[in-house]
Amino acid sequence: MQKLLAFIVAKRHWFIFVLCEIFSFVLIYRNNAYQRNMMLSSANVITSGISSVSSTAFSYFDLQKVNQELLERSSLLEMEVLKLREQLDGMTVDSISFKKDIIFADSLFSGNYTYKYITARVVNNSVVYMNNYITIDKGAKDGIRPDMGVVSPQGVAGIVATVNDRYSVVISLLNVKFKVNCKVRHTNYFGALSWKGDAMKYAYLEQLPTHATFQTGDTIVTSGYSAVFPPGIMVGVVESYSKQNDDNFYSLKVRLATDFHSLNVLFVIDNAAQTEQREVEQEARKND
């Protein structure tokens, strides 16, 4: 207390100066309308500036929540696009079959659609090896299981390999061990697509019969002939093609749609009927 009193006594002229300044401003504010309006205007400007900075700061910290909501909406839109794409692929120019296909598609997708998406973030990713992998921040507690298909907002990215409670490791499409059954969009000609370990932007669709109709620039999509990926998921675009060694099949060079250098958000495809389909297929193979 003595030190405080000594400090006040030593600095008493500053305290007196501050009190006199405050008293002067009070007198000016009360007795002069012009100065009072100027002070109020200045106070409003300062208050508005502080409010603006505060609002900007709170908006910045709220971006994570908004971004998560956008990701969830994006996954729902992906599901809707998949439904529409499958319907459009089944339509023909003939008006009678067009109407029939619409009815069939409605009965197929309304309330009985077996695919849903689980949104995940990439926490680790490799692109420079022959066998590349992607780690995501969702695991078994989020409903992730091995052998689930994984897609980016642009197209196919890989398939889930291993899972623990919180994380999953995905075999990247940029992995020489990875193969996916694909076809040329709007046709039923399919083959196996794989990466050769060279250029990161390209994979090769092989075993496509020579009587298949396609051209450079055509879109390559998943065929749907597996329990991993639904039909119609974007894979890439035909860059060029050549005949394979036996001359009975084409080999298509496909420019991949997914940019593996910039992966951030992925969607894991949950096929509710996957286990049932695989069990019946394995049972059939036992009889071979």
Side-chain angles (χ1 to χ4, degrees):
M1 178 62 72
Q2 291 180 351
K3 290 183 178 181
L4 177 62
L5 292 174
F7 174 78
I8 294 174
V9 171
K11 304 294 182 181
R12 62 186 181 278
H13 54 282
W14 288 108
F15 288 109
I16 295 172
F17 173 75
V18 170
L19 290 174
C20 290
E21 287 291 324
I22 294 174
F23 183 69
S24 299
F25 279 115
V26 171
L27 291 177
I28 293 172
Y29 180 82
R30 293 182 59 182
N31 299 318
N32 296 274
Y34 175 76
Q35 283 81 0
R36 181 166 59 248
N37 290 335
M38 289 295 294
M39 289 181 181
L40 288 174
S41 298
S42 300
N44 288 334
V45 171
I46 295 172
T47 303
S48 299
I50 295 173
S51 299
S52 177
V53 172
S54 175
S55 177
T56 302
F58 282 114
S59 297
Y60 176 79
F61 289 113
D62 198 44
L63 282 177
Q64 185 174 3
K65 179 181 178 182
V66 173
N67 190 39
Q68 183 62 34
E69 292 176 353
L70 289 175
L71 290 176
E72 293 174 357
R73 293 182 183 180
S74 178
S75 65
L76 293 175
L77 288 174
E78 286 284 341
M79 293 177 65
E80 293 299 323
V81 168
L82 185 60
K83 295 178 185 179
L84 293 172
R85 182 182 295 159
E86 187 65 15
Q87 291 179 8
L88 290 173
D89 284 343
M91 295 177 184
T92 64
V93 178
D94 184 82
S95 60
I96 296 177
S97 58
F98 180 89
K99 182 176 181 180
K100 181 181 69 175
D101 286 341
I102 286 290
I103 295 172
F104 174 77
D106 286 341
S107 65
L108 177 64
F109 293 117
S110 59
N112 195 31
Y113 198 69
T114 58
Y115 297 101
K116 68 176 182 179
Y117 287 88
I118 301 172
T119 305
R121 290 184 178 276
V122 175
V123 296
N124 197 5
N125 180 28
S126 64
V127 296
V128 297
Y129 306 108
M130 296 294 287
N131 298 314
N132 293 293
Y133 294 90
I134 305 165
T135 305
I136 58 177
D137 66 347
K138 294 293 177 66
K141 68 181 183 63
D142 304 292
I144 308 295
R145 305 183 304 274
D147 297 329
M148 281 184 167
V150 181
V151 298
S152 72
Q154 294 82 35
V156 171
I159 185 172
V160 176
T162 58
V163 176
N164 66 16
D165 286 343
R166 295 180 56 194
Y167 297 96
S168 301
V169 175
V170 177
I171 299 178
S172 173
L173 196 155
L174 300 184
N175 188 312
V176 294
K177 298 178 181 179
F178 179 86
K179 288 188 177 182
V180 58
N181 202 295
C182 298
K183 67 177 183 178
V184 181
R185 180 175 284 177
H186 304 309
T187 75
N188 291 320
Y189 299 112
F190 64 94
L193 181 134
S194 61
W195 183 60
K196 300 300 183 183
D198 45 14
M200 186 177 58
K201 293 183 178 180
Y202 298 100
Y204 292 86
L205 178 62
E206 298 179 331
Q207 301 175 355
L208 202 69
T210 53
H211 59 272
T213 303
F214 62 89
Q215 59 185 357
T216 302
D218 280 352
T219 301
I220 303 299
V221 297
T222 53
S223 65
Y225 297 154
S226 74
V228 178
F229 293 101
I233 298 291
M234 179 71 171
V235 177
V237 176
V238 178
E239 182 82 6
S240 62
Y241 57 91
S242 60
K243 286 188 176 181
Q244 293 180 222
N245 294 332
D246 57 8
D247 288 338
N248 291 323
F249 297 96
Y250 280 118
S251 175
L252 279 61
K253 184 178 182 181
V254 178
R255 186 173 71 253
L256 298 175
T258 298
D259 183 359
F260 287 88
H261 253 310
S262 61
L263 289 181
N264 181 29
V265 176
L266 294 175
F267 304 105
V268 183
I269 301 174
D270 183 6
N271 178 5
Q274 185 182 52
T275 302
E276 183 179 358
Q277 180 179 341
R278 290 199 163 179
E279 286 178 353
V280 71
E281 290 174 348
Q282 291 173 358
E283 185 66 28
R285 294 190 184 100
K286 291 179 181 179
N287 299 324
D288 289 345

